[in-house]
């Protein structure tokens, strides 16, 4: 075989190895997936969604908007009025709806906002602040508590 054939075989092998290595899941993505699975088993409904304008979320690129995690609970018998509150310094700042929650403390890290409506209560939050999901149970209990107070 000529030297050119070895070069071609070498490039093909490198291309295949590069493709295989590119398919590996990063440790961060794996941790997020495991945390979302644990949340589902607890009765939380995690999803990524476009950030609503009222929470003023800034994407990693620096522009406003982007995707944000929303973890919610469904309360089949509830009839909750619309309430949207930003979290500022771990205190709620009600933007829309019942002001009884204004100034109430929220002892969770990475939370951007709380929203309740109809039969759903949820939190917009930065999943990166708790990749191991240590506060998932506390999140669920907090959502249940707010829904019962509404």
């Amino acid at each position: 075989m000529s030297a050119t054939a070895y070069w071609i075989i070498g490039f093909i092998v490198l291309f295949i190895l590069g493709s295989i290595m590119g398919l590996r899941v990063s440790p961060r993505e794996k941790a997020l997936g495991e945390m979302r699975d644990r949340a589902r088993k607890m009765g939380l409904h995690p999803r990524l969604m476009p950030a609503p304008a009222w929470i003023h979320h800034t994407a990693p690129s620096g522009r406003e908007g982007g995707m944000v995690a929303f973890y919610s609970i469904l309360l089949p018998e509830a009839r909750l009025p619309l309430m949207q509150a930003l979290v500022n310094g771990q205190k709620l700042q009600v933007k829309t709806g019942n002001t009884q929650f204004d100034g109430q403390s929220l002892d969770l890290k990475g939370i951007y906002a709380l929203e309740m409506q109809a039969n759903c209560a949820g939190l917009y939050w930065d999943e990166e602040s708790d990749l191991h999901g240590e506060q998932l149970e506390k999140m669920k209990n907090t959502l249940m508590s707010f829904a019962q107070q509404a």
Side-chain angles (χ1 to χ4, degrees):
M1 285 176 83
S2 69
T4 307
Y6 285 117
W7 278 106
I8 293 173
I9 291 171
F11 280 124
I12 291 172
V13 169
L14 285 175
F15 179 75
I16 292 172
L17 285 175
S19 297
I20 291 171
M21 296 303 278
L23 294 176
R24 289 187 26 215
V25 177
S26 74
R28 180 186 150 279
E29 291 296 325
K30 184 177 179 185
L32 281 173
E34 289 172 355
M35 180 178 62
R36 291 173 184 157
D37 285 342
R38 280 196 16 239
R40 283 184 196 94
K41 290 176 184 169
M42 297 170 73
L44 288 167
H45 301 279
R47 62 181 186 249
L48 273 176
M49 56 191 300
W54 66 271
I55 70 170
H56 307 292
H57 178 262
T58 305
S61 65
R63 66 178 178 79
E64 191 158 311
M67 300 298 280
V68 67
F70 183 69
Y71 281 54
S72 61
I73 56 170
L74 294 177
L75 306 160
E77 303 302 317
R79 299 289 178 258
L80 303 171
L82 174 63
M83 194 280 293
Q84 298 171 330
L86 290 173
V87 176
N88 192 357
Q90 293 195 321
K91 298 235 182 257
L92 291 178
Q93 181 182 15
V94 175
K95 292 292 182 189
T96 304
N98 192 345
T99 58
Q100 84 182 47
F101 300 112
D102 206 25
Q104 194 160 345
S105 180
L106 189 66
D107 188 29
L108 295 166
K109 57 184 175 182
I111 305 296
Y112 298 123
L114 168 73
E115 181 174 35
M116 292 191 291
Q117 61 181 325
N119 65 344
C120 175
L123 295 167
Y124 294 95
W125 77 300
D126 177 14
E127 293 173 304
E128 305 275 333
S129 67
D130 184 19
L131 276 178
H132 300 293
E134 295 168 359
Q135 67 182 8
L136 288 175
E137 190 67 43
K138 193 173 183 180
M139 284 173 60
K140 181 180 178 184
N141 293 337
T142 299
L143 288 172
M144 295 291 282
S145 173
F146 277 110
Q148 289 170 353
Q149 291 177 41

